[in-house]
């Protein structure tokens, strides 16, 4: 008997949750220090880096974008279409463009990807956590 609801994915996709590390606290400090223009420019760099991350993934293989905004990118693709080195490249580009690292959770379902993102953050951030 399958305990998963019928609307769960079939397991033939890989899900990836990319999340910038420490973006919110940095923006909050800039605003608390009344550094409005610096906050605006930093926010713009995050948006540009997230757009570049999406483009890098789409150039490898068409991805289904589930969430795209803030410092979050949640996507899925058919199994084995995106390599770990591609994900590492996305993290590298995000760091170059923003000065911030990125954590990534991978999974065979959205829930597993979210769980693995949480593990990446708890393990010290700047990590890619894959299914066990």
């Amino acid at each position: 008997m399958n305990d998963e609801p019928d609307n769960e994915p079939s397991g033939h996709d890989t899900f990836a949750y990319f999340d910038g590390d420490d973006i919110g606290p940095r923006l909050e400090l800039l605003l608390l220090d009344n550094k409005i223009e610096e906050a605006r420019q930093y926010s713009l760099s995050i948006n540009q880096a997230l757009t570049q991350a999406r483009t890098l993934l789409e150039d490898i293989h068409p991805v289904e974008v589930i969430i795209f905004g803030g410092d979050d990118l949640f996507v899925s693709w058919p199994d084995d279409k995106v390599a770990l080195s591609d994900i590492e490249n996305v993290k590298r580009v995000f760091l170059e463009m923003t000065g911030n690292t990125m954590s990534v959770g991978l999974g065979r379902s959205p829930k597993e990807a979210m769980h693995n993102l949480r593990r990446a953050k708890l393990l010290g951030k700047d990590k890619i956590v894959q299914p066990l």
Side-chain angles (χ1 to χ4, degrees):
M1 182 172 165
N2 185 354
D3 292 332
E4 292 185 352
D6 291 339
N7 62 351
E8 287 279 330
S10 65
H12 297 289
D13 288 330
T14 298
F15 293 84
Y17 201 155
F18 297 80
D19 183 51
D21 296 325
D22 300 316
I23 305 300
R26 184 168 169 191
L27 277 171
E28 188 175 347
L29 279 172
L30 289 170
L31 293 172
L32 286 171
D33 292 342
N34 205 31
K35 297 179 178 178
I36 305 302
E37 187 55 34
E38 195 173 334
R40 182 185 343 253
Q41 291 304 314
Y42 180 62
S43 178
L44 180 61
S45 76
I46 298 301
N47 289 335
Q48 291 170 338
L50 201 60
T51 299
Q52 183 64 27
R54 178 180 179 168
T55 300
L56 287 169
L57 291 169
E58 289 174 334
D59 285 349
I60 299 162
H61 188 276
V63 297
E64 178 183 355
V65 177
I66 299 163
I67 297 172
F68 177 75
D71 63 342
D72 294 336
L73 176 61
F74 196 107
V75 298
S76 69
W77 56 77
D79 285 340
D80 302 325
K81 295 297 181 186
V82 178
L84 191 57
S85 60
D86 298 321
I87 295 168
E88 290 168 347
N89 186 49
V90 168
K91 287 171 56 15
R92 181 187 57 75
V93 169
F94 189 86
L95 177 62
E96 288 172 0
M97 293 181 73
T98 67
N100 286 83
T101 59
M102 178 176 261
S103 297
V104 183
L106 301 176
R108 291 174 291 275
S109 70
K111 181 178 180 179
E112 187 176 38
M114 289 181 67
H115 174 80
N116 285 335
L117 174 63
R118 183 70 181 136
R119 287 188 56 78
K121 298 285 189 173
L122 291 172
L123 289 167
K125 303 177 183 173
D126 192 25
K127 307 262 187 262
I128 301 170
V129 176
Q130 302 179 63
L132 297 174

